[in-house]
Amino acid sequence: MNPLISVIMSCYNESDKELRESIESILTQTYSNFEFIIVNDNPSNERLKNSLNSFKYDSRVIVIHNKTNLGAGKSKNEALKIAKGYYTAILDADDIALPNRLEKEIAYFEEHPDCDLVASLREDIDENSNPIKYSVGVVVKDNFIPKVLKYGAIITHSTVLVKTSILKKLEGYRLFKSAQDYDLWLRMVSLKCHFHIIAEPLVRYRVRQNGITNSNYANSYFEFNYIRKLYFERERNNGKDSFSEQYLEKIYSFPSLKKEPINQQYKQILSLSKNKWQPFLLLKVLLGILINKDCFKNLKNMVIAKILINKSAMK
C-alpha cells in the first residue's frame, strides 16, 4: 500500500546537528503514513553521506545519493520521480517541522478536497535553533492568494503540502537559484489551482545572518521579475511561456552597476521598516525610485502586495 504523503528534502552541506533536527522532526510526526525521500546533492561529502545513511533504520526513509551536484531544484525533481504519495510535503534540510505539521495539513485536505496546496505560517529561528519570532507570514483569504502571489512571495517553501499530481504535471522545479518555489507557485496559479494558508506556525524556519547578502538579493529580484513576466506570458499564450535557462544565466551575470541600486534599496527599506521615521533614508529610497526603473518596480510590487493583503483582511 502506497504512503499518503511523500516528504522530499534536498541537502548539500548542512551540519550534522541541523540535519538531525530536520530529519527527526519528520520521523517523529504525529502523522505517520509517509515516505521520506532525502537527496544528497553533495556526493563528495562523506560526512553527509554517512549521516544520511544512519537514518535508514527507519523503513520510511529513502536516500538518493546524486552522482554529481545537480542543485536543489533538480535534486527535488529526482525525488519527485519516485514519489508514491498522493501528496508531497516539502522541508528544507535546515528547517524543522513542528510535531503536528503533517497531521494538521492532511486534516485540512480531508475537509477541503478541492484544495491543491496547503501552507502555514512559520516560526523563525537563528543558526543555533533559538527562537527569533514566533509567528511569521501573512494569512490571506484563499481567493486572494493567487492575486497576492503575482506581486509577492507569501508562501514559505518548507511549510507546503501539495498534490503530487500537480507537481508532476508541471514537471517539478525549474532552474532558478533562489526563487524556484515562487516560479512553481505562479505556474500553479496559471493552472487555476486552489491555495490555503493555515493561520499558525507549523515549521521552524532557520534564518542565517548571511542568508540574504548584498549580491544575491539583486539576483532574487531579477529572478522574481522574470518569473512574473513568464506568468503574464502564460496568461496571454494559453499557458505557454518562453522560459530560457540562457536568460537565467544572463541575469546572474548582470554587472554590479545594475545590481547595486537594488541591493541598496532593499537595505534601506529594511531599515525603514524597523524605524519608520528616518527622513534622510526615506529621501534616498524615493531618489532610487526616480533614477532607476528597477527600484521603482521593486517598491511598486511590495506596495501592491501589501495593499492586496490589507484588502483581504477587510473582506
Side-chain angles (χ1 to χ4, degrees), residues 30 66-67 83 92 95 103 129 168 228 247 277 296 308:
T30 56
N66 289 344
K67 294 181 180 179
D92 290 338
D95 296 336
E103 181 182 359
S129 303
K168 293 190 175 184
R228 292 187 191 101
Y247 187 79
W277 184 241
F296 172 75
L308 288 168

Side-chain angles (χ1 to χ4, degrees), residues 1-16:
M1 182 176 178
N2 287 340
L4 189 61
I5 300 174
S6 296
V7 183
I8 65 172
M9 172 186 290
S10 167
C11 51
Y12 180 73
N13 204 29
E14 293 75 18
S15 71
D16 287 342

Side-chain angles (χ1 to χ4, degrees), residues 131-146:
I132 299 173
K133 190 173 181 181
Y134 172 67
S135 185
V136 179
V138 294
V139 179
V140 182
K141 288 184 172 61
D142 294 359
N143 61 318
F144 268 80
I145 294 174

